[in-house]
Amino acid sequence: MAEQQTVTISCPQCASPFSFREGDRNAPCPSCGTSLAVSGEAGISRFWIEERTDLAQARANARRAVAAAGGDPRVVERLRFEGGELCFLPFWRLRGHAAGWLWTERETVVREEVYDENGMKMVREVRGPNERATESVMVAVDYSSPACDVSRFGLRGIAVASAVLPLQGMDFALVSQRGTVFDPVKGPDEVRREAVAQARARGGGKGVLRSTGRLSLCGERLALISYPVWSLTFARGERLYPVTIDGVNGRVLAGRLPGAARLTVLRPLLSVTLLVFAFTVHHLLGAAGAVGFLGWLASNGGLSTERLAAWFFALVERRGEVDLG
């Protein structure tokens, strides 16, 4: 194994010299105590955001979310909790400006005066000729994008969160003790292209039919931020229900839990009683009742052996699942 090198720099806060080992992500100044984030040659700093919601709160928030979504909280209370894991998901955050030129073609509206058959003047708006223009563009960029596939977690971006929450220099040993740290897959060049494309789409204003141009990033500040998310698993029988909770504000991001269940004992008893009574009055009345009942079933969910069995023998009816997030 290659021996780690020691690097000596000056503290930007107090100008005192101090040393740190190769591979360190943050280093406190021994003179003034300032914690400094150490970035590599690419100039990309890495931070993490501390969770503010613990496992017990995340579980309680998941159960409350079902009631808020119209589900039956009594059903959810009987779910088995299979476990939870704190995941630190990587997100790119790019700030700066996109500068360059933009050519646009936009539609215009012309107001013209017309007279009706009574001689009354009216003003109407009609589409005018398309306008083409080339303009200089300077667009502020604050772009956030997942650094790996986080679609199952329901979290798309953290630009606003990372702007108001305190960021801490990444310490892999410390963060790994708190949860699972996901590695980035998307590279910084792809993030830059996405940020420029978003800035280009914002340029030109309303009514743009076509646009093209060349924009470049300037004053770029690129960082990789690990954001906490709770991944919970509930079970009912053999069915598993995953739910993800925001580790900072406790909001349910995504998930699905079972809905309410209701007893249907009276339904088959009443149906059989009415059919038997109709047949005792007259066999034609009973036959008409049976045909009417089968026709009603066919128009409300379809007529099949499984449908008839569910109607007469299923004593508990499960309603649809509740989508969260």
Side-chain angles (χ1 to χ4, degrees):
M1 180 180 295
E3 183 179 356
Q4 286 185 322
Q5 298 180 356
T6 300
V7 182
T8 301
I9 63 173
S10 297
C11 175
Q13 184 71 20
C14 66
S16 299
F18 73 97
S19 302
F20 61 92
R21 293 180 303 172
E22 179 186 7
D24 287 349
R25 296 294 181 176
N26 58 358
C29 174
S31 299
C32 65
T34 302
S35 181
L36 303 175
V38 181
S39 61
E41 294 181 357
I44 300 175
S45 301
R46 183 154 188 179
F47 304 97
W48 70 288
I49 297 176
E50 184 177 3
E51 75 280 4
R52 298 182 177 181
T53 302
D54 59 21
L55 180 58
Q57 292 172 332
R59 292 173 56 183
N61 290 351
R63 298 181 188 275
R64 283 195 294 265
V66 177
D72 189 346
R74 295 173 297 179
V75 176
V76 181
E77 288 296 334
R78 291 192 291 268
L79 292 176
R80 299 194 315 273
F81 178 68
E82 295 293 328
E85 178 187 20
L86 182 61
C87 303
F88 288 92
L89 308 180
F91 285 83
W92 289 105
R93 188 187 180 196
L94 190 151
R95 290 175 293 171
H97 290 83
W101 60 270
L102 188 66
W103 176 88
T104 58
E105 180 181 5
R106 57 165 52 88
E107 61 182 10
T108 61
V109 176
V110 178
R111 297 169 62 89
E112 62 179 20
E113 296 181 354
V114 296
Y115 294 87
D116 60 13
E117 62 275 8
N118 298 322
M120 298 294 294
K121 183 174 69 174
M122 299 183 300
V123 179
R124 65 178 183 181
E125 295 182 347
V126 297
R127 181 173 176 178
N130 294 344
E131 291 184 350
R132 301 173 179 85
T134 302
E135 56 184 339
S136 299
V137 177
M138 174 70 79
V139 181
V141 175
D142 191 349
Y143 180 72
S144 174
S145 175
C148 65
D149 184 11
V150 297
S151 56
R152 71 182 181 91
F153 294 95
L155 192 61
R156 298 181 179 179
I158 60 168
V160 176
S162 59
V164 298
L165 294 174
L167 302 179
Q168 303 184 45
M170 188 62 176
D171 186 334
F172 283 93
L174 173 63
V175 181
S176 298
Q177 293 176 357
R178 308 174 77 100
T180 301
V181 180
F182 283 56
D183 293 326
V185 176
K186 182 190 298 182
D189 291 337
E190 185 177 354
V191 177
R192 294 184 180 102
R193 289 193 295 268
E194 293 175 353
V196 170
Q198 185 189 66
R200 183 183 295 114
R202 289 164 50 195
K206 298 181 179 179
V208 175
L209 301 175
R210 292 183 298 166
S211 66
T212 186
R214 181 181 297 275
L215 297 178
S216 301
L217 291 171
C218 57
E220 170 192 308
R221 289 173 291 171
L222 186 62
L224 193 59
I225 303 172
S226 293
Y227 191 86
V229 172
W230 283 103
S231 178
L232 310 180
T233 304
F234 297 88
R236 183 176 189 176
E238 297 182 354
R239 178 70 183 273
L240 297 179
Y241 296 91
V243 179
T244 56
I245 307 292
D246 192 308
V248 175
N249 55 34
R251 182 173 60 91
V252 177
L253 298 173
R256 176 175 293 182
L257 290 177
R262 64 178 180 180
L263 295 176
T264 58
V265 178
L266 295 179
R267 185 179 67 185
L269 292 177
L270 182 61
S271 301
V272 172
T273 301
L274 291 177
L275 289 176
V276 171
F277 175 75
F279 274 105
T280 56
V281 173
H282 197 279
H283 65 279
L284 292 179
L285 180 61
V291 171
F293 171 71
L294 295 177
W296 179 83
L297 277 183
S299 60
N300 291 272
L303 183 61
S304 63
T305 305
E306 293 79 6
R307 173 73 168 154
L308 288 173
W311 180 268
F312 286 104
F313 300 105
L315 302 182
V316 178
E317 182 180 68
R318 309 289 184 187
R319 297 184 180 178
E321 297 176 341
V322 178
D323 290 322
L324 305 176

